[in-house]
Amino acid sequence: MATLTLPALIDIHVHLRDPGATHKEDFATGTAAALAGGVVAVLDMPNNTPPTTDEAALRRKGELASTKARCDFGFYLGATVGNAGQSVGIHEVAGLKMYLNETYGPLQLEALSTVMAHFRHWPRGKPIAAHAEQLSTAVVIGLAQLYGRSAHICHVSRKAEIELIRHAKANGAKITCEVTPHHLFLTEQYAERVGGFGHVKPALGTPEDREALWANLDIVDAVASDHAPHTIEEKESETPPPGVPGLETTLPLLLNAVAEGRLSVERLVELTHHGPARVMGVRPPEESYVEVDPDARHLLHGADLLTKCRWTPFEGMRVQGLVRSVYLRGTRVYEDGEVLAPPGSGRSLVLS
Ligand code: NCD
Ligand code: ZN
Ligand code: ZN
Ligand code: ZN
């Protein structure tokens, strides 16, 4: 059996739901899922209940993660109408998250003046990440240019968006972007078949959108899971919330793409390790790596997953490439289906 050793993954976009919705996920289960997926560091999004939009909420999250997380962690501050320029002990925050379109949670910004205030006040050395679909993509690129700073565009999903980002980068804009596995491997046809389980923001695209993401993968900075767990019951309801889990399936899916000749191992490492660290100013934990069996074929099954929600949009998909062992700071933290790291062993990430 061949073993391939890769630098451990850094996932810069996850929703671990702690505090506020721990029936969907919490820091202990979400970081167990992370380790099972070869991910040793996560950046957690601010759309909690209550949202992570001030110093007290950040401190509370820090306390919860310190006692519960099994891998390393950092947090985003959510941008609100009132918190531009407010001091929040900013050295502990990985970045500012701005929601410019409707999605799960109450954090969508409406007024141009609010968005401008955040671009003006947020420290230049710290990333601004944006949920920006369609026209909002152009807004973020334009404001980043005007304010002479960088900006990161989350979960790019449409052909026009990735082409615009390509154009912006070629013209010197300090724009970075991420794509998700669900936008790389699924389309709206899947969403039509599975109803609420395929409901995600941004919505799954057309086959043409999906192929455009692959065709422009050379200008993509990171693959991020946008791990957004909701329960099976919630997804089967009349009003399913948007979001799909993904921490455990990113690496098998990308390894399968390597096996199919659609991606090189070097590019996989760039998209899951070096790129995310660079974009978000994260120092990767030392001696942290994943041993995978690139030849092992297996089926993806929600029931096998460690995420609390225990389903996957990739149910039944046959992939080649299996995570065997994961090491975090020299310690084996996962082996063959079993998480070895206890809650509380994860650390706060070192941020630039
Ligand atoms: C995310 C969630 O559930 O928190 N949902 C989603 O569909 N992606 C929110 C988000 O990332 O926009
Ligand atoms: Zn989003
Ligand atoms: Zn998200
Ligand atoms: Zn690199």
Side-chain angles (χ1 to χ4, degrees):
M1 182 196 76
T3 299
L4 179 65
T5 303
L6 305 170
L9 280 67
I10 298 168
D11 195 331
I12 59 176
H13 188 153
V14 305
H15 303 263
L16 301 189
R17 310 297 193 204
D18 203 349
T22 52
H23 65 288
K24 299 176 196 271
E25 195 78 285
D26 62 42
F27 279 120
T29 57
T31 55
L35 294 178
V39 175
V40 297
V42 293
L43 292 186
D44 186 47
M45 286 294 171
N47 58 337
N48 292 75
T49 316
T52 319
T53 55
D54 60 23
E55 184 155 5
L58 280 166
R59 198 173 302 125
R60 172 96 185 102
K61 237 189 195 183
E63 286 162 10
L64 290 166
S66 301
T67 55
K68 295 167 88 173
R70 306 168 197 263
C71 76
D72 291 4
F73 53 84
F75 307 126
Y76 288 90
L77 177 76
T80 69
V81 83
N83 72 355
Q86 268 179 22
S87 165
V88 287
I90 246 159
H91 55 283
E92 292 170 349
V93 180
L96 180 73
K97 177 64 183 286
M98 265 185 208
Y99 291 90
L100 301 185
N101 300 90
E102 194 192 329
T103 185
Y104 182 67
L107 286 174
Q108 187 182 346
L109 300 176
E110 301 288 349
L112 175 62
S113 56
T114 306
V115 179
M116 284 166 65
H118 283 289
F119 267 88
R120 194 159 55 235
H121 286 289
W122 189 251
R124 233 150 254 270
K126 285 266 183 197
I128 291 179
H131 178 128
E133 302 183 38
Q134 298 284 353
L135 289 173
S136 303
T137 308
V139 169
V140 170
I141 293 169
L143 289 176
Q145 288 280 68
L146 286 170
Y147 286 93
R149 58 157 305 138
S150 66
H152 176 74
I153 300 179
C154 300
H155 46 43
V156 178
S157 68
R158 293 297 183 274
K159 182 171 190 274
E161 295 165 358
I162 196 68
E163 288 178 353
L164 184 67
I165 292 167
R166 171 163 221 116
H167 195 57
K169 285 187 169 213
N171 283 277
K174 286 187 272 178
I175 296 297
T176 58
C177 71
E178 73 194 29
V179 296
T180 71
H182 46 275
H183 293 115
L184 283 173
F185 294 101
L186 301 174
T187 66
E188 60 190 13
Q189 285 151 9
Y190 170 83
E192 279 156 27
R193 218 171 60 232
V194 299
F197 292 95
H199 179 44
V200 63
K201 298 283 190 172
L204 297 174
T206 63
E208 199 187 359
D209 289 322
R210 183 184 59 183
E211 289 323 303
L213 298 181
W214 282 99
N216 289 284
L217 205 56
D218 60 315
I219 60 113
V220 171
D221 298 276
V223 166
S225 68
D226 190 11
H227 180 79
H230 298 286
T231 65
I232 289 174
E233 198 181 13
E234 289 163 345
K235 289 300 243 180
E236 284 176 338
S237 75
E238 290 291 297
T239 52
V244 297
L247 271 166
E248 291 159 88
T249 43
T250 299
L251 186 51
L253 288 164
L254 292 180
L255 288 170
N256 191 62
V258 171
E260 288 178 342
R262 308 185 75 189
L263 186 68
S264 68
V265 172
E266 292 68 31
R267 195 71 197 124
L268 183 157
V269 170
E270 196 59 38
L271 288 167
T272 59
H273 176 85
H274 297 294
R278 171 174 44 77
V279 165
M280 295 307 301
V282 167
R283 191 196 299 158
E286 282 166 20
E287 288 183 75
S288 299
Y289 47 94
V290 191
E291 289 172 353
V292 303
D293 180 345
D295 302 319
R297 292 164 200 270
H298 58 114
L299 296 179
L300 300 175
H301 279 308
D304 297 338
L305 301 180
L306 299 176
T307 172
K308 200 177 270 188
C309 72
R310 290 191 96 212
W311 64 274
T312 171
F314 306 105
E315 181 68 35
M317 208 176 269
R318 180 178 295 281
V319 291
Q320 181 180 336
L322 181 69
V323 177
R324 302 300 306 266
S325 300
V326 182
Y327 294 80
L328 171 56
R329 281 179 259 105
T331 302
R332 183 153 55 194
V333 288
Y334 174 87
E335 187 180 24
D336 293 332
E338 209 184 327
V339 172
L340 307 172
S345 53
R347 290 189 195 164
S348 182
L349 278 165
V350 180
L351 304 163
S352 66

